[in-house]
Amino acid sequence: MTISQSTERPFNALLGDVALPSHRLMVQHWLDLYAAAGNRVPFWRKLDPLQFPSALADIWIVELRDNGRLYFHLVGQSLVDWYGYSPKGKSMEEVYPPAMVPLINALSQGVLGRPAINYQKAFSLTPHWSVAIPMERIALPLTDEQGRLRWVAGITTFLDSHGHGSGPVSSRVAEECWYPLP
């Protein structure tokens, strides 16, 4: 994965920047939870995917476990179709090619470590297609029962149906925005 452009944007610009309606619904739900928690990162179990039903097929949730590795906890059907299997319960190392793992881990660590929200417009290459598949991704931080930043919830929407069942071998992020939480 390479990143062409990465910028930091004000937190209050997030909803206006997100283009896809399903992503906007998830972001609005997260922002509502954030406000209800006193402007703190919400607890992961408070996230209610039924509040953004148009995104259910594209949703994913990963957990940072005590061993320092990220594992898929929830994976929507369009992602299962994309990978050709369900990565639920698998670590990033089990799902992605070795060259992509450090960058995927860095994205999640950026979301959890700052904390911040990440929004990307990218292109993903697959083993079976010579054309890069356009996609958009949003990644949001969530806490565990002790209030530790340990969960990342997001949506990845592929804007072209090519490549299903083959999974990515590389990605190029054309535009990436970070929204640090106040």
Side-chain angles (χ1 to χ4, degrees):
M1 178 171 19
T2 61
I3 299 174
S4 298
Q5 176 185 347
S6 184
T7 59
E8 193 166 293
R9 302 267 299 137
F11 182 70
N12 62 1
L14 172 64
L15 198 55
D17 289 350
V18 174
L20 296 175
S22 61
H23 291 213
R24 289 178 58 80
L25 286 172
M26 183 179 186
V27 167
Q28 185 61 63
H29 176 58
W30 187 94
L31 290 170
D32 292 344
L33 293 173
Y34 179 78
N39 293 333
R40 297 183 60 129
V41 174
F43 176 47
W44 78 274
R45 289 190 188 263
K46 294 281 186 182
L47 192 73
D48 181 3
L50 296 179
Q51 297 300 311
F52 42 94
S54 59
L56 290 177
D58 299 332
I59 191 172
W60 49 268
I61 298 176
V62 297
E63 175 189 11
L64 176 62
R65 295 193 184 158
D66 289 337
N67 66 5
R69 295 173 73 189
L70 292 158
Y71 291 82
F72 280 100
H73 178 75
L74 175 72
V75 184
Q77 188 59 48
S78 69
L79 296 171
V80 170
D81 293 345
W82 174 257
Y83 291 113
Y85 65 95
S86 175
K88 183 178 177 181
K90 296 187 181 303
S91 70
M92 299 301 118
E93 292 81 2
E94 294 173 288
V95 175
Y96 293 103
M100 287 181 68
V101 171
L103 297 163
I104 289 167
N105 287 341
L107 180 139
S108 294
Q109 293 295 339
V111 169
L112 297 173
R114 289 184 182 191
I117 295 170
N118 181 268
Y119 177 49
Q120 293 182 341
K121 293 181 180 181
F123 298 88
S124 187
L125 290 174
T126 70
H128 304 295
W129 292 91
S130 59
V131 176
I133 309 302
M135 65 179 185
E136 290 190 24
R137 174 185 301 124
I138 189 99
L140 307 154
L142 296 165
T143 65
D144 66 8
E145 292 82 355
Q146 291 78 37
R148 299 175 300 175
L149 293 160
R150 299 295 289 250
W151 296 84
V152 180
I155 302 174
T156 300
T157 302
F158 297 98
L159 305 175
D160 187 324
S161 63
H162 292 305
H164 278 224
S166 53
V169 293
S170 67
S171 290
R172 180 179 59 81
V173 176
E175 181 181 343
E176 173 180 76
C177 295
W178 288 95
Y179 302 85
L181 277 59

